[in-house]
Amino acid sequence: MWPISDKLAAAITFITLWLDTAALNPNGNYYKRYENTSITTPITETVNVSKKLVCAIRCGQQADCSGFQLETKNESYLCTTLPVYETVTASVVTIGTDYYEDTQKSATLPKVQSADDLLWFRGKTITDYWVKSNAFPSPLQELSMCCWLTMETDFETILSYATMTDRIDFGILSVSIRMLAIGSSSTFSIFVQHGWTEQPEVWHSMCVTWESALGAYKVYADGTLKGEDAGFLPGYTFPSGGTLVIGQEAGGFQSAVGFKGKLAGVAVYDRAITAAEVTTYNKSCKLNTGNLFKWSDIGLGQLHRETLDMIQPATCP
């Protein structure tokens, strides 16, 4: 029979090993790991620790700890615990530092704060999206939406706006790798060949403009006008107070229409922008334009992710 001290030592060793694999497992229920990533947010404390487990325990003992970062030193770790954050934050690629998020305490993850960031949707899911309520403070009779993107599959929702949970007031979808669809739940009737080829790493810009008077719309791809006509929702007014969603269908989430690819530089205007403005927009994904919504405003909404990554700086033009 083991002495009491040996039993205790064995128990501590077992618990330590269990915690080190469960609490710090990237796919575990306790902390989700983001390799080579640090978070720009206020910190609670920074201490040197000999084991990863010690940092996890310190975070667990702090009521407001939303996660921690571990910077690997020669024979130790620099442990930084982070409070629950409500302010705008950003993730930064940092070799040698891993970020562990407490998924129990943090429903929304760090938010993009710079025009130099991009969102990488790695898979079509219902859990990767950005959303902002009351996105249009006033009714709109003109509207423009632009973005930079790479696309990898068919039937991807890029942007959508809805005032009801069971319908889309306006949305932009990639129905195929070479075609965009623009419309609403009542009439998705605009289909435009943009001419892009199936090259997932190639960035493209896209803009859609609409005016209520005649229902006139224009669709631009890479700064070039690809389609225009009238008769789409003539006389219609987009209601205020709705929800703007990036990467999913605002009228009801479906994994089949989730976005897969990279997005940057999303811009929304409360008017039909000109061809000259589209030409300017096509020069760079980092212009941070849009009088109703610009890319750096994404911190004002909520970013939810499971497989979605934030990359800084953006790799787009």
Side-chain angles (χ1 to χ4, degrees):
M1 181 176 293
W2 288 351
I4 295 296
S5 58
D6 290 344
K7 283 186 176 181
L8 182 59
I12 291 174
T13 299
F14 172 77
I15 292 172
T16 298
L17 289 173
W18 178 78
L19 283 173
D20 203 29
T21 55
L24 300 178
N25 190 315
N27 299 315
N29 296 324
Y30 299 91
Y31 295 98
K32 186 171 183 180
R33 179 187 181 194
Y34 299 88
E35 291 185 283
N36 296 323
T37 300
S38 63
I39 304 299
T40 56
T41 186
I43 65 175
T44 302
E45 67 171 2
T46 300
V47 296
N48 283 300
V49 297
S50 59
K51 294 183 179 180
K52 297 179 181 180
L53 173 66
V54 176
C55 196
I57 292 175
R58 295 185 76 93
C59 183
Q61 292 173 339
Q62 299 169 10
D64 69 339
C65 184
S66 66
F68 59 92
Q69 296 173 173
L70 281 170
E71 180 183 351
T72 303
K73 299 294 186 179
N74 291 334
E75 297 181 357
S76 63
Y77 302 92
L78 185 64
C79 166
T80 302
T81 54
L82 311 174
V84 174
Y85 44 83
E86 297 179 356
T87 56
V88 176
T89 59
S91 64
V92 181
V93 175
T94 308
I95 304 301
T97 297
D98 293 343
Y99 167 53
Y100 294 84
E101 183 200 29
D102 186 336
T103 56
Q104 302 291 326
K105 295 181 181 177
S106 180
T108 59
L109 282 94
K111 302 174 179 65
V112 175
Q113 69 171 9
S114 168
D116 291 334
D117 301 333
L118 67 84
L119 298 180
W120 185 2
F121 295 78
R122 292 181 178 272
K124 295 164 72 72
T125 74
I126 62 172
T127 55
D128 293 336
Y129 61 94
W130 175 90
V131 60
K132 185 182 186 300
S133 58
N134 196 27
F136 296 175
S138 302
L140 298 179
Q141 292 192 320
E142 293 187 13
L143 179 66
S144 298
M145 292 185 173
C146 298
C147 70
W148 282 82
L149 73 165
T150 70
M151 296 188 299
E152 298 183 23
T153 62
D154 297 342
F155 293 100
E156 299 180 341
T157 305
I158 302 166
L159 295 166
S160 58
Y161 175 77
T163 51
M164 300 176 64
T165 57
D166 60 348
R167 60 160 290 156
I168 301 174
D169 288 280
F170 188 81
I172 303 174
L173 284 74
S174 166
V175 295
S176 76
I177 209 70
R178 293 179 176 82
M179 182 179 292
L180 293 173
I182 297 93
S184 67
S185 294
S186 59
T187 172
F188 257 97
S189 57
I190 303 173
F191 298 92
V192 177
Q193 295 278 356
H194 46 59
W196 302 335
T197 58
E198 191 170 348
Q199 296 176 286
E201 295 304 315
V202 176
W203 283 92
H204 299 281
S205 74
M206 176 210 68
C207 285
V208 177
T209 72
W210 171 84
E211 298 176 75
S212 173
L214 299 174
Y217 67 87
K218 294 181 180 181
V219 181
Y220 298 84
D222 295 332
T224 301
L225 182 64
K226 293 292 184 178
E228 64 175 323
D229 207 340
F232 176 68
L233 300 177
Y236 182 71
T237 298
F238 284 108
S240 61
T243 300
L244 181 67
V245 178
I246 297 175
Q248 255 296 342
E249 193 175 274
F253 289 3
Q254 302 177 56
S255 58
V257 294
F259 184 79
K260 183 179 180 181
K262 297 174 183 176
L263 277 174
V266 174
V268 182
Y269 306 79
D270 61 2
R271 57 186 174 80
I273 61 175
T274 65
E277 289 177 294
V278 173
T279 299
T280 299
Y281 180 85
N282 184 58
K283 292 180 180 179
S284 173
C285 71
K286 303 172 184 178
L287 296 179
N288 202 34
T289 60
N291 68 330
L292 194 61
F293 172 85
K294 58 184 179 296
W295 191 233
S296 61
D297 290 339
I298 206 164
L300 303 177
Q302 291 185 322
L303 180 64
H304 298 257
R305 72 181 189 182
E306 182 177 344
T307 62
L308 187 156
D309 283 332
M310 289 177 295
I311 300 176
Q312 185 185 46
T315 56
C316 51

